[in-house]
Amino acid sequence: MSILVPGIGTNVRGDLSKYVAANDRLRAQTAHAGVDPNNVATISYLGYVAPKNDGLNNIQAADIGYANRAAPVLARFEEGLRASADARGHQFTNTLLGHSYGSTTSGKSVPMMAAGTIDNFVMFGSPGSGVRNIDAYGLPEGHVYESSIPDGDAVQGLGPDASYGTNPRKLEGITHLSADATDAANYWTPTPPSIAGAAGVIERAIHGFDNHMAYFEEGTRTSQDFANIIAGAKPTTDEEWEALKKARSNPQPPTDDESQWWKQALTGY
């Protein structure tokens, strides 16, 4: 199971279908980790008032109050899911995914949850982790992750540490996932400095947010890593990712041996 918490400008009326589609893709990708997607549940959490991002309302993104108010509600929601499953004797791996401002909201909520509520926490395109150190989450070592596309995502670490928490990229003890979203349909790649020269600064300013949503896109290594973690598997290695890309370009279905190799590579058994 996974719960995806999006960022600024999101609401049920305008964005639910988009995030349901993103979650459907992640669910389908768990098949590459040896899991039947029909046994995976994904939730798009739009149950908080996110800052707006239109016109003068952009200033709301600087207000950490939205995250502070949403965090305890999200924590209770997660606890309710776990309690409901426990009451019915259901066992599942619960992964919390936070994107952009939603990662800070999620990060603030995790320390409020009862122990064992979630199993993994993933932040991506994050302005801040919501905490000062990783121990505040109360999760086992190796179960907190972050992904940060290197170009075209100026949101990363944008929030002040005092209110937004430590930049996840600098959070000691965190597991860094691949930041490779270059297979996204409209991925922006900066002109090499040797060619761009001083104009490169302007170029980066213009395209500073172009790749902020690329993490979700189909065919990206970033989204495959998220799917692997949802499935309870390990993030992709370079070898595995190249094999998967090759398999996607081959219209023939995988053989039984290939399917077994994938399962062993990603799950360890």
Side-chain angles (χ1 to χ4, degrees):
M1 169 181 279
S2 68
I3 289 83
L4 171 60
V5 183
I8 67 171
T10 54
N11 58 72
V12 172
R13 183 172 61 181
D15 302 284
L16 181 59
S17 61
K18 176 175 68 176
Y19 286 102
V20 167
N23 265 328
D24 283 345
R25 289 194 297 270
L26 289 176
R27 187 166 62 87
Q29 286 175 270
T30 61
H32 297 296
V35 170
D36 182 354
N38 292 319
N39 294 328
V40 177
T42 55
I43 296 173
S44 303
Y45 183 85
L46 295 165
Y48 82 107
V49 177
K52 295 181 179 180
N53 66 340
D54 57 306
L56 294 177
N57 286 324
N58 274 325
I59 195 171
Q60 291 184 4
D63 184 355
I64 197 60
Y66 290 89
N68 290 338
R69 290 187 291 273
V73 181
L74 174 58
R76 301 296 85 78
F77 176 78
E78 287 277 17
E79 288 179 337
L81 288 175
R82 178 63 73 181
S84 177
D86 288 348
R88 292 167 172 78
H90 295 163
Q91 299 297 317
F92 66 96
T93 298
N94 187 5
T95 297
L96 176 60
L97 304 166
H99 175 239
S100 193
Y101 192 94
S103 70
T104 306
T105 301
S106 300
K108 286 179 174 289
S109 77
V110 175
M112 300 178 183
M113 299 177 192
T117 298
I118 65 171
D119 302 285
N120 303 301
F121 178 33
V122 184
M123 293 172 278
F124 48 107
S126 176
S129 64
V131 299
R132 300 308 295 269
N133 62 76
I134 200 168
D135 292 338
Y137 295 135
L139 291 171
E141 183 179 355
H143 287 258
V144 181
Y145 306 84
E146 73 86 26
S147 180
S148 303
I149 294 174
D151 299 298
D153 186 5
V155 173
Q156 297 169 24
L158 188 61
D161 287 4
S163 54
Y164 276 71
T166 303
N167 180 348
R169 287 181 295 176
K170 300 178 181 179
L171 197 61
E172 186 175 352
I174 202 168
T175 299
H176 301 280
L177 297 173
S178 170
D180 181 6
T182 52
D183 289 306
N186 297 305
Y187 188 84
W188 173 73
T189 302
T191 304
S194 59
I195 299 175
V201 176
I202 299 175
E203 180 188 44
R204 286 180 177 274
I206 293 173
H207 298 280
F209 300 94
D210 282 13
N211 294 334
H212 185 55
M213 297 298 294
Y215 300 90
F216 297 104
E217 289 201 30
E218 186 175 7
T220 58
R221 185 172 175 180
T222 48
S223 67
Q224 186 59 56
D225 275 350
F226 302 159
N228 283 9
I229 294 166
I230 292 170
K234 301 174 183 177
T236 58
T237 65
D238 292 343
E239 179 188 21
E240 291 159 5
W241 178 241
E242 289 305 315
L244 179 54
K245 290 181 68 174
K246 182 178 179 180
R248 283 175 175 161
S249 64
N250 184 353
Q252 298 298 320
T255 65
D256 290 342
D257 287 344
E258 289 170 337
S259 296
Q260 184 62 27
W261 181 88
W262 267 106
K263 182 177 180 181
Q264 291 178 343
L266 293 174
T267 65
Y269 55 87

